[in-house]
Amino acid sequence: MRSRSGPVSDVVVVGGGAAGLMAAIFAAQNHARVTVLEGSRACGLKILISGGGRCNLLPTASDMSDFFTSGSRNVLRRLFRTWTLEEITEFFERDLEIPLIRDEAQAKVFPKSESARVVRDRLVAAAREAGAEIHEGHRVTGLERHEGGFVVRGRRDERPHDVEASVLILASGGQSLPKTGSDGAGFALAQGLGHSLIERHPALVPLCSTDPAFHELAGVSTRVRWQALAGEKVLEERERELLFTHRGYSGPAILDASHWVVRDGATLRVAWGGLSEAEWQRHFTAESRKRIDVLLSEVFPRRLAELLLERAGLKGRMRATQLHPGQWRRLMPLLTAFELPVDGNEGYRKAEVTGGGVPLSEVNPSTLESRQTPDLFLCGEIFDVIGRIGGFNFLWAWITGRLAGESAAARSKAPG
Ligand SMILES: Cc1cc2nc3c(=O)[nH]c(=O)nc-3n(C[C@H](O)[C@H](O)[C@H](O)COP(=O)(O)OP(=O)(O)OC[C@H]3O[C@@H](n4cnc5c(N)ncnc54)[C@H](O)[C@@H]3O)c2cc1C
């Protein structure tokens, strides 16, 4: 291999985020000469801000219903079998020496230090210890396939800087929160090497509402049972927290549901407090002498109770016993099947991940090698796969990063 103006590597990893760092560790541990080219000033900027700075690096449990793809669920299942949650936990605790804690109530795993920096720093250190070279501030601008390898065109410290590689790992992430360096440029790099793209959209994203009454509830949070609907068909339903914001709604319930709204134009229906009509009936009957505003605010915050009673045209001071059937019929749909007015979303600036991307069908599921371009491997968020809130997106990055790293190392040593 011949260098044009920079380092020569068996394996070049484009992008030093969660997936790219994991790929670098496993490629280098498998005796490949590895170079990571990270476009921003430092690796893993998204890891640093993840989980509110605590880094929710894994879920406590996971199954296929926690992931969305338009690709084959069998392929997904197969990929998840390559590295189990228990094995990944052991890797972080034993190999990276990061003690973890399980938050069973939230079904999330965090570093015991509650420091995302520790996770980022240990991943970078482990890649270096295994022998990988890491170049930060090296932005890749083009990838060219040549016989026997690739020319990786780029800029380092604002100067043109090209590198040759025999094997390439594309780990450039999605396009959410572009200021972290993942600005979607990697999708064009994949396209340049023959890949198609499933239409992209901001996912795990806060939703907007132009209804000023909801803006006044900013900061209020409550549990809801949500349904995403296409007409009357329920696409998904779950129970989690909703948070009102100055522009609309956020919180785990909305971030999880947003995917259906943004991609499929679904409507969102919520049961406040997660209660069904039968449960409200029992609550009202058991406490029939109480005022209805008190009954409602025993289940969710008072400011929301006041808004819903106003919409039902009811006075909060009424006793449950005074409600006549017509008033009950007006109130119940507002409590148990409230259609949230949604007028858009906060976009990639606030989205946690990018939906869509490179189809899973365009890689070999045993190795993550591109079917379009031999010797190219892909991993992480660049794929048309997203997980829900709760550590599932890092889980995807770790699993695919490791597999791409191991496969790329094996390829770099294979004759011919
Ligand atoms: C605010 C926020 C909080 C989050 N919290 C969590 C959480 O707690 N748990 C969880 O599971 N998930 C969380 N996520 C999602 C998670 O961060 C991502 O799914 C994950 O980082 C994806 O890993 P990746 O390596 O594929 O991409 P990234 O981590 O985005 O890494 C891609 C890297 O490639 C680099 N790059 C891109 N283009 C180029 C180029 N042309 N040349 C060189 N380098 C390039 C980028 O600078 C970046 O460093 C969060 C996301 C956000 C935005």
Side-chain angles (χ1 to χ4, degrees):
M1 236 174 351
R2 196 165 37 84
S3 169
R4 299 207 162 175
S5 54
V8 178
S9 261
D10 293 339
V11 177
V12 165
V13 183
V14 178
L21 289 171
M22 194 59 91
I25 292 170
F26 279 90
Q29 282 181 353
N30 284 281
H31 313 295
R33 266 187 307 170
V34 178
T35 303
V36 179
L37 304 178
E38 167 51 50
S40 34
R41 64 188 153 77
C43 286
L45 291 185
K46 217 173 249 181
I47 300 175
L48 286 186
I49 53 166
S50 64
R54 293 168 69 210
C55 185
N56 169 207
L57 79 174
L58 287 172
T60 55
S62 150
D63 66 44
M64 287 307 103
S65 70
D66 296 313
F67 294 88
F68 304 94
T69 175
S70 46
S72 155
R73 302 201 74 77
N74 278 340
V75 168
L76 262 194
R77 208 166 284 120
R78 199 164 146 185
L79 287 167
F80 280 102
R81 273 194 229 113
T82 62
W83 211 18
T84 64
L85 266 179
E86 292 68 32
E87 290 164 339
I88 303 173
T89 304
E90 193 180 323
F91 170 80
F92 275 100
E93 293 210 293
R94 193 198 56 200
D95 297 18
L96 297 190
E97 297 173 340
I98 304 176
L100 303 179
I101 42 159
R102 293 163 66 89
D103 178 336
E104 299 292 350
Q106 289 198 73
K108 293 177 176 177
V109 178
F110 296 92
K112 206 169 197 168
S113 59
E114 303 211 330
S115 162
R117 184 169 291 278
V118 167
V119 177
R120 195 280 306 263
D121 290 353
R122 283 302 301 139
L123 283 164
V124 171
R128 289 205 163 111
E129 282 156 22
E133 272 190 45
I134 298 182
H135 296 285
E136 294 167 328
H138 187 126
R139 180 101 188 139
V140 173
T141 53
L143 299 171
E144 290 164 20
R145 181 83 170 106
H146 290 280
E147 202 166 322
F150 298 87
V151 175
V152 182
R153 305 249 177 240
R155 295 181 73 78
R156 185 182 298 172
D157 302 327
E158 302 308 319
R159 290 204 192 87
H161 196 118
D162 300 341
V163 177
E164 287 196 11
S166 50
V167 176
L168 205 60
I169 299 179
L170 190 52
S172 46
Q175 63 192 86
S176 57
L177 221 70
K179 65 178 182 194
T180 59
S182 322
D183 58 3
F187 291 117
L189 295 175
Q191 270 182 316
L193 290 175
H195 283 282
S196 66
L197 297 174
I198 305 281
E199 196 179 336
R200 283 158 288 155
H201 62 275
L204 305 188
V205 64
L207 298 176
C208 303
S209 162
T210 49
D211 189 331
F214 288 104
H215 301 170
E216 282 167 25
L217 295 179
V220 169
S221 135
T222 178
R223 202 160 181 83
V224 294
R225 179 144 200 94
W226 62 265
Q227 287 184 321
L229 298 150
E232 277 309 302
K233 183 174 174 233
V234 179
L235 301 169
E236 191 182 0
E237 77 182 296
R238 282 187 175 251
E239 199 169 315
R240 293 192 90 171
E241 292 294 308
L242 176 150
L243 169 72
F244 289 96
T245 69
H246 289 288
R247 291 162 56 88
Y249 330 95
S250 187
I254 293 302
L255 298 182
D256 276 350
S258 65
H259 162 72
W260 297 109
V261 178
V262 179
R263 194 193 63 173
D264 300 320
T267 50
L268 278 189
R269 206 178 266 171
V270 297
W272 304 108
L275 265 57
S276 65
E277 181 166 353
E279 286 166 318
W280 279 114
Q281 186 97 55
R282 280 198 291 280
H283 185 50
F284 272 54
T285 311
E287 312 267 10
S288 62
R289 301 202 53 75
K290 282 191 177 166
R291 289 164 54 126
I292 54 175
D293 55 356
V294 173
L295 286 170
L296 263 55
S297 46
E298 283 172 354
V299 176
F300 45 70
R302 186 170 192 92
R303 280 160 66 199
L304 174 61
E306 284 165 0
L307 176 84
L308 294 172
L309 287 171
E310 192 189 306
R311 299 241 160 153
L314 296 173
K315 299 255 179 299
R317 62 172 181 274
M318 284 177 78
R319 310 273 156 188
T321 42
Q322 294 172 309
L323 268 186
H324 60 67
Q327 290 171 320
W328 178 261
R329 278 198 300 277
R330 272 210 316 272
L331 181 59
M332 270 315 110
L334 291 169
L335 295 184
T336 62
F338 189 95
E339 198 164 301
L340 276 185
V342 175
D343 316 292
N345 66 79
E346 297 272 16
Y348 290 113
R349 207 173 44 89
K350 290 273 181 78
E352 290 211 357
V353 291
T354 304
V358 174
L360 276 180
S361 57
E362 292 185 2
V363 291
N364 174 341
S366 306
T367 58
L368 296 180
E369 183 173 14
S370 163
R371 293 189 200 277
Q372 265 58 11
T373 301
D375 304 331
L376 168 69
F377 295 79
L378 295 98
C379 56
E381 202 180 312
I382 194 167
F383 279 120
D384 164 40
V385 176
I386 55 167
R388 66 176 77 259
I389 287 288
F392 298 98
N393 287 294
F394 278 140
L395 174 60
W396 175 249
W398 311 139
I399 286 179
T400 55
R402 168 181 176 266
L403 181 57
E406 282 190 350
S407 311
R411 171 54 55 84
S412 72
K413 283 174 280 166

